[in-house]
Amino acid sequence: MRTVSVLESLALFIASAAAANVVEIGINRIRPGQPGLANTLRRRASSPSTYIETLVNNVTGGGYYASVTVGTPPQPQVLVIDTGSSDIWVVASDADLCTSSRLQEEYGDSCSDTYDSSKSSTYKLVSSEGFDISYLDGTGSSGDYITDTFDIGGASIKALQMGSATQTVRGTGIMGISYSASVSTLDVYPNLIDQFQAQGLISTKAYSLYLNDFRSESGSILFGGVDADKFIGNLSTMPIVQTSSQNGTGGYTVLAVALNSMTASTGSDKNPVDFPSSQPLPAILDSGTTLSYLPSDIATSLFDAIGAYTDDLVTGYTFIDCNGPSDLSVTLQLGKGATIVLPASQIVLDVFAGMQSQIPSNVPFSNACLFGFQDIGSASSSSLSAVAAANIVAATSGGSFALLGDTFLRSTYAVYDLTNNEIALAQSNLNSTSSKVVELQASDSGIPTLTGVQSQQTTSTTSTTSTTGGSGGSSTSDSSDSGGTVTVTANPKSSAGAAGSLTVPSYGVLAAAGAACLASFLGGALVMV
Ligand SMILES: *[C@@H]1O[C@H](CO)[C@@H](O)[C@H](O)[C@H]1NC(C)=O
Ligand SMILES: *[C@@H]1O[C@H](CO)[C@@H](O)[C@H](O)[C@H]1NC(C)=O
């Protein structure tokens, strides 16, 4: 009996060891971020991985929104994802905007998800009233710098520093993911992408942004990896443009690359856009900016080539005929070898449906669309932080630069490597439903040369292949488990559908957003330098 019993317990032990092993393998095979994965498993940060977060394309809100949580227990927050700034900030539950109907009326915004530090056991105050950020569009927020737990895409970042805004003109917080060198305080701190890597969740400070089709409801951001099914052809890697600080030393502060040339085409008719200085133009890739902006001389050349009309009298916006040629496109050459084609579907924005009667009468189109490119001097709305803008203005000696916002980024798959100071771009494979995630490694000396799909996926494809990583390239990918495209369901409120709200931007809001702030900021800064 005794022996049997020993054997039995041994058998039990072996069985449980085997089970533990299976679980162990399971842990490694199941990616962190997979829905339903227990928190305890997610905390295993010993093997870095990749994390994907779905972004809701909110055309009314003019941006891409991530659903994250802050604090313990987790408090849901919806944040605009922004490669043009570096701080994360959330709206404090006692923020002025949230408690004053007068301010809500004045700013035309209200609060939904807010953060209450008193309800979080992991909250710590870093600096009372130490947070103060301003953006090129004239908005800003201020309040405390705090640290708390920040969860995104299944990754949990401990003690992340962020702003808790008690004064704000926006009811939605922002998730800045540019270099920590551009945070809005002189006490530079490790920001989201720094902590992602420092806490061992990903191997290298890199993420890939897939905004997807203008008409699609969502895009995604993938931390620590590249999805080779989301782009067409080769990824083309280029250096990030250095900026110079006040003391004249070079550094990396802004996610900008060299824009070499542009061509406007209608069918076989190709018109090069004039670049007056024949120098490459620094182009900031800014996911927090809804449209794209060019220096006046270049913008004028582009508008003339495709028959866009700038309303200098009332709105400052550039319009284009919704019924114009459907084979219109604008092609951009960036870095050494990236060619990105922006088709009419991504730059002729039909956002005034039902509001045509409000379009100023000088606009010569019976059916006017908003054009995806605007003149940087005449109208703008940019999330680029004032710190980043000052850096780029200094770096260009007050010269010109382009801001490439969502109307450029939707057609682009963009890999941002803040460890090696490189960006890789390729034409986006819109509405891709499959995925082939390649994890980026700390040992990579840069972004690996990866090849994507051969051509634009047709929307009817429903394949969900997950195989080994892309061809070429030094990085390895975990094989069958790259079901890495595990998505975190976006806030149901937000998923109510951008598609339904495509008819959106209130024309009044657009008109009011107008020129003054950006023009005066840039104008002033450019003259000063
Ligand atoms: C992508 O999907 C949207 C609908 O979600 C559709 O309107 C659009 O035409 C699709 N784009 C392509 C390139 O197939
Ligand atoms: C889009 O953003 C606007 C402005 O922030 C907000 O009022 C609206 O609820 C959002 N829509 C969705 C579908 O999330």
Side-chain angles (χ1 to χ4, degrees):
M1 281 301 285
R2 196 183 158 85
T3 317
V4 171
S5 131
V6 166
L7 281 177
E8 267 177 5
S9 45
L10 188 62
L12 275 176
F13 176 78
I14 290 166
S16 66
N21 222 350
V22 170
V23 174
E24 202 64 39
I25 291 164
I27 292 167
N28 290 332
R29 290 174 61 85
I30 300 171
R31 303 206 138 231
Q34 186 147 357
L37 199 62
N39 271 331
T40 46
L41 302 192
R42 281 187 200 161
R43 281 195 208 108
R44 296 176 54 95
S46 52
S47 65
S49 187
T50 60
Y51 297 84
I52 188 157
E53 168 73 18
T54 300
L55 304 174
V56 172
N57 177 14
N58 181 339
V59 174
T60 329
Y64 283 78
Y65 292 72
S67 294
V68 305
T69 65
V70 176
T72 313
Q75 301 179 27
Q77 309 289 323
V78 175
L79 306 177
V80 173
I81 195 148
D82 183 21
T83 58
S85 66
S86 304
D87 293 276
I88 293 183
W89 62 268
V90 292
V91 178
S93 52
D94 58 351
D96 55 357
L97 180 69
C98 309
T99 50
S100 157
S101 50
R102 184 186 57 80
L103 289 178
Q104 288 169 17
E105 210 161 294
E106 186 178 336
Y107 299 128
D109 203 355
S110 59
C111 306
S112 45
D113 297 308
T114 59
Y115 168 70
D116 185 347
S117 60
S118 71
K119 298 210 169 104
S120 173
S121 63
T122 38
Y123 152 82
K124 286 204 171 61
L125 180 65
V126 172
S127 146
S128 179
E129 298 298 318
F131 168 69
D132 190 354
I133 192 166
S134 54
Y135 300 98
L136 276 196
D137 67 356
T139 64
S141 296
S142 61
D144 300 335
Y145 264 125
I146 62 143
T147 59
D148 209 334
T149 302
F150 183 89
D151 285 25
I152 179 169
S156 187
I157 289 131
K158 308 300 173 207
L160 180 67
Q161 182 161 339
M162 45 199 143
S164 172
T166 46
Q167 289 94 46
T168 179
V169 304
R170 300 172 42 96
T172 311
I174 289 185
M175 185 174 127
I177 49 175
S178 182
Y179 286 107
S180 50
S182 292
V183 293
S184 294
T185 166
L186 294 175
D187 296 325
V188 172
Y189 62 89
N191 69 358
L192 178 70
I193 190 67
D194 294 336
Q195 291 286 19
F196 239 115
Q197 189 231 13
Q199 298 186 18
L201 296 156
I202 59 177
S203 309
T204 182
K205 291 189 278 184
Y207 52 83
S208 299
L209 198 56
Y210 176 66
L211 295 190
N212 205 0
D213 198 301
F214 176 66
R215 298 154 298 183
S216 167
E217 289 182 18
S218 62
S220 61
I221 182 166
L222 175 66
F223 291 95
V226 177
D227 186 342
D229 272 0
K230 297 283 188 287
F231 58 92
I232 302 165
N234 292 330
L235 263 186
S236 175
T237 302
M238 60 201 75
I240 291 175
V241 171
Q242 289 199 54
T243 52
S244 55
S245 59
Q246 270 92 342
N247 65 16
T249 55
Y252 294 96
T253 57
V254 179
L255 296 170
V257 295
L259 171 61
N260 298 310
S261 67
M262 292 175 72
T263 311
S265 315
T266 44
S268 57
D269 184 17
K270 299 201 188 313
N271 295 290
V273 174
D274 293 332
F275 272 42
S277 66
S278 72
Q279 293 286 322
L281 190 66
I284 301 168
L285 307 184
D286 183 9
S287 68
T289 290
T290 311
L291 303 172
S292 295
Y293 297 87
L294 297 168
S296 297
D297 40 11
I298 297 176
T300 304
S301 171
L302 172 63
F303 299 161
D304 288 352
I306 56 160
Y309 174 84
T310 303
D311 165 34
D312 290 322
L313 296 176
V314 189
T315 62
Y317 278 90
T318 297
F319 297 86
I320 190 164
D321 190 354
C322 298
N323 307 328
S326 61
D327 58 3
L328 175 133
S329 65
V330 173
T331 302
L332 293 87
Q333 301 277 351
L334 302 110
K336 279 211 178 63
T339 300
I340 307 293
V341 180
L342 313 184
S345 60
Q346 308 302 316
I347 52 175
V348 178
L349 309 177
D350 191 4
V351 292
F352 302 120
M355 291 182 266
Q356 290 293 328
S357 61
Q358 297 174 55
I359 303 284
S361 56
N362 55 305
V363 176
F365 311 122
S366 60
N367 189 10
C369 276
L370 187 62
F371 188 44
F373 284 92
Q374 302 283 320
D375 183 335
I376 209 164
S378 52
S380 184
S381 174
S382 165
S383 76
L384 190 68
S385 76
V387 174
N391 282 326
I392 194 87
V393 165
T396 55
S397 314
S400 50
F401 61 90
L403 264 178
L404 300 179
D406 296 342
T407 52
F408 167 79
L409 290 171
R410 287 194 185 94
S411 298
T412 311
Y413 190 79
V415 186
Y416 299 82
D417 179 344
L418 283 69
T419 294
N420 296 296
N421 303 308
E422 289 179 343
I423 287 176
L425 304 176
Q427 188 78 33
S428 178
N429 179 22
L430 301 174
N431 294 341
S432 163
T433 50
S434 62
S435 90
K436 197 159 79 181
V437 172
V438 178
E439 193 179 317
L440 295 169
Q441 307 292 335
S443 54
D444 294 342
S445 54
I447 302 168
T449 311
L450 296 169
T451 303
V453 299
Q454 297 236 300
S455 58
Q456 168 61 47
Q457 167 183 302
T458 57
T459 26
S460 56
T461 311
T462 52
S463 122
T464 50
T465 359
S466 283
T467 54
T468 43
S471 58
S474 52
S475 76
T476 57
S477 77
D478 2 28
S479 48
S480 56
D481 71 339
S482 13
T485 41
V486 167
T487 51
V488 171
T489 318
N491 187 331
K493 176 176 63 71
S494 316
S495 62
S501 42
L502 273 184
T503 45
V504 217
S506 133
Y507 172 70
V509 171
L510 276 181
C517 292
L518 179 65
S520 65
F521 180 88
L522 287 179
L526 288 168
V527 171
M528 268 156 43
V529 170

